[in-house]
Amino acid sequence: MSEITSSPLPGIASTLETLAGRPGHRRRLAAGEMLFHAGEPVASVYVVLSGLIRMVRMNQTGAEVTVDRAGPARWLAEASLFAARYHCNAMADTEACLLSFPKAAVVEGMQRQPALATELMIDLARRLHEARLRIEILNISSAQDRLLAYLQAHASGENEEFTLSGSWKALAGEIGLTHESVYRALAQLEREGRVRRDGRQVWLAPP
């Protein structure tokens, strides 16, 4: 389902709207609904307004690997702006609402408005930093230490609090573990007093 929005938008959505020279199309997805599939031609650039979108690829064994997750105020599959086809599948982990902008119009706008194009490049650099951090986490061999590193990287506030935005199964896919391994690692971290959990909230113990 899609509709046109004419409301002013903050952040990256506003930048893309200006570059495209037109309002974005609002699209709503049900949980589990696909946004696009790997191999499909790239026609649009998307920004998440609400909900959570997960980008996945299939490895050589046929297992699903989460390559990125995008929540509110994030644009997704950024590299596809300069590609002919999508390199992964994108699926709504939760009910979601997105804005879509024509890829061709955005690229043309970047050539006309270099200052706004620079804003996009800054955001891409930030995403690259996050991707490198994720690779560092994936290189940790112990499931317990890998999960703890992820929680530490994404905790915030004085109380070092982490809030689960999707499911533990989705988080497991993001850090390259089975959900059973994540549950066991989380239980062990709780037993050791290194974390405290209440539902979707996790608090890290002081070092």
Side-chain angles (χ1 to χ4, degrees):
M1 175 182 177
S2 63
E3 56 194 74
I4 295 178
T5 179
S6 56
S7 302
L9 297 163
I12 196 69
S14 177
T15 300
L16 289 170
E17 182 177 79
T18 302
L19 289 171
R22 68 194 72 179
H25 285 265
R26 194 177 296 263
R27 180 170 176 181
R28 302 183 187 278
L29 298 176
E33 188 175 350
M34 299 299 296
L35 177 62
F36 55 74
H37 294 84
E40 290 181 352
V42 179
S44 300
V45 178
Y46 297 95
V47 178
V48 182
L49 296 179
S50 64
L52 189 66
I53 305 296
R54 183 160 53 103
M55 276 68 74
V56 299
R57 298 176 95 168
M58 308 303 290
N59 65 18
Q60 293 180 342
T61 66
E64 188 178 272
V65 178
T66 299
V67 296
D68 195 13
R69 291 196 299 168
R74 269 283 312 273
W75 59 319
L76 53 91
E78 300 94 330
S80 296
L81 187 62
F82 307 104
R85 297 183 181 276
Y86 293 112
H87 296 120
C88 62
N89 299 327
M91 179 183 75
D93 254 0
T94 64
E95 287 187 359
C97 181
L98 306 94
L99 283 180
S100 68
F101 301 93
K103 168 192 165 181
V106 171
V107 172
E108 183 180 340
M110 292 174 70
Q111 296 171 350
R112 295 195 315 267
Q113 303 182 72
L116 289 179
T118 298
E119 288 186 22
L120 289 190
M121 294 304 103
I122 292 172
D123 193 73
L124 280 173
R126 190 179 302 116
R127 299 280 83 81
L128 179 60
H129 173 76
E130 293 175 358
R132 286 175 173 168
L133 175 62
R134 183 168 174 271
I135 290 172
E136 290 177 12
I137 291 173
L138 287 172
N139 281 327
I140 298 173
S141 57
S142 161
Q144 186 175 325
D145 290 341
R146 188 183 302 183
L147 175 60
L148 183 60
Y150 180 93
L151 296 174
Q152 290 170 335
H154 294 85
S156 61
E158 294 182 2
N159 296 323
E160 289 292 294
E161 180 179 348
F162 170 82
T163 302
L164 182 67
S165 56
S167 65
W168 287 108
K169 185 176 182 180
L171 186 151
E174 187 173 347
I175 59 176
L177 297 172
T178 65
H179 62 280
E180 293 90 352
S181 295
V182 165
Y183 293 144
R184 287 194 297 268
L186 187 59
Q188 183 62 30
L189 289 171
E190 287 186 272
R191 285 193 293 270
E192 294 176 1
R194 301 169 78 181
V195 304
R196 179 169 59 87
R197 180 166 66 105
D198 183 8
R200 304 175 72 83
Q201 309 296 120
V202 178
W203 293 268
L204 302 177

